[in-house]
Amino acid sequence: GAVVSQHPSWVICKSGTSVKIECRSLDFQATTMFWYRQFPKQSLMLMATSNEGSKATYEQGVEKDKFLINHASLTLSTLTVTSAHPEDSSFYICSAGTSGGRTDTQYFGPGTRLTVL
Amino acid sequence: AQSVAQPEDQVNVAEGNPLTVKCTYSVSGNPYLFWYVQYPNRGLQFLLKYITGDNLVKGSYGFEAEFNKSQTSFHLKKPSALVSDSALYFCAVRDGSGGYQKVTFGTGTKLQVIP
């Protein structure tokens, strides 16, 4: 149980285009989803926390107009990287929790490798 | 503020030997502690967690971790390492003292098990 999927697993795009990444909880309802960014050989950096039906809460330094997050249902959250540039190239990982903000365990998706040319 | 320290970037251990991956934490309230494992180009997999109760926590794949409040540590251990245990391990903490607190991850420790 508690499986989280991400799509696509990897994407290559041209600079200036927008890319949408989907995160789905397959066998449970995720009241809270988290979006992380991971640079090579570094830890996970929390970008934002999203609760179903409400606006995402972004961490300090994360541009909310560039990284659009939508959590339209209890099983789906999307991250859209708008007007992507090479510096946005990274590994993006989502996770989902089942108890709102008090989740004890996060279930992670397999990640999406974004390369911006 | 909360933080996690994983002092070793890499740990090398021979197959069959016991392994330890170190983690220390700092949190103002009650620590909720987690270990996750990441294989190359994959997301994180949950191994184990400490919320309350016994200080020795047993998790997946034969791993266990010991919560030590006085030393603010939560080291990951396994009695006999397997080559397939080679991966990147992350320790994480959040403040469990009421209200929502985000989880803070350590920088990761690469475990290399040598055949």
Side-chain angles (χ1 to χ4, degrees):
Chain A
V3 178
V4 176
S5 70
Q6 272 183 252
H7 178 79
S9 56
W10 59 270
V11 57
I12 301 173
C13 69
K14 293 181 178 180
S15 184
T17 61
S18 294
V19 175
K20 179 184 283 188
I21 302 170
E22 293 185 349
C23 177
R24 294 182 184 271
S25 57
L26 298 184
D27 52 1
F28 66 101
Q29 293 185 327
T31 51
T32 304
M33 286 186 170
F34 306 86
W35 285 96
Y36 294 87
R37 186 173 177 178
Q38 185 180 30
F39 294 98
K41 300 182 180 181
Q42 293 190 25
S43 186
L44 281 71
M45 181 191 80
L46 180 65
M47 299 174 66
T49 302
S50 73
N51 292 296
E52 185 264 340
S54 62
K55 291 184 178 180
T57 301
Y58 290 82
E59 294 298 303
Q60 191 173 8
V62 178
E63 298 176 61
K64 61 181 180 181
D65 293 332
K66 180 168 187 61
F67 298 99
L68 301 178
I69 292 172
N70 183 283
H71 193 164
S73 76
L74 287 171
T75 59
L76 174 64
S77 176
T78 60
L79 167 67
T80 301
V81 183
T82 62
S83 186
H85 288 91
E87 58 266 28
D88 299 324
S89 298
S90 190
F91 195 52
Y92 292 87
I93 306 175
C94 73
S95 71
T98 58
S99 302
R102 294 182 173 82
T103 181
D104 290 334
T105 302
Q106 296 182 34
Y107 300 97
F108 285 83
T112 297
R113 174 76 59 192
L114 171 63
T115 301
V116 184
L117 302 176
Chain B
Q2 58 193 33
S3 64
V4 176
Q6 293 182 245
E8 303 154 317
D9 290 337
Q10 181 161 335
V11 170
N12 296 321
V13 63
E15 185 177 25
N17 282 3
L19 68 88
T20 299
V21 182
K22 296 180 180 178
C23 170
T24 58
Y25 67 90
S26 174
V27 66
S28 57
N30 296 327
Y32 284 12
L33 295 154
F34 308 84
W35 275 102
Y36 289 88
V37 60
Q38 184 181 32
Y39 295 97
N41 295 312
R42 301 294 300 275
L44 276 66
Q45 296 179 30
F46 171 75
L47 280 180
L48 51 81
K49 67 180 179 183
Y50 171 83
I51 303 297
T52 186
D54 290 341
N55 289 343
L56 184 63
V57 179
K58 294 188 182 297
S60 305
Y61 312 120
F63 284 94
E64 58 187 29
E66 185 167 11
F67 170 64
N68 187 315
K69 187 174 182 178
S70 62
Q71 297 185 6
T72 62
S73 67
F74 191 57
H75 301 330
L76 182 69
K77 299 181 179 183
K78 187 174 182 180
S80 179
L82 300 172
V83 173
S84 57
D85 293 330
S86 299
L88 188 58
Y89 291 80
F90 288 98
C91 181
V93 68
R94 82 168 180 90
D95 189 336
S97 302
Y100 170 67
Q101 297 286 343
K102 69 179 182 181
V103 175
T104 299
F105 287 84
T107 52
T109 298
K110 183 179 179 180
L111 173 66
Q112 189 73 41
V113 181
I114 304 164

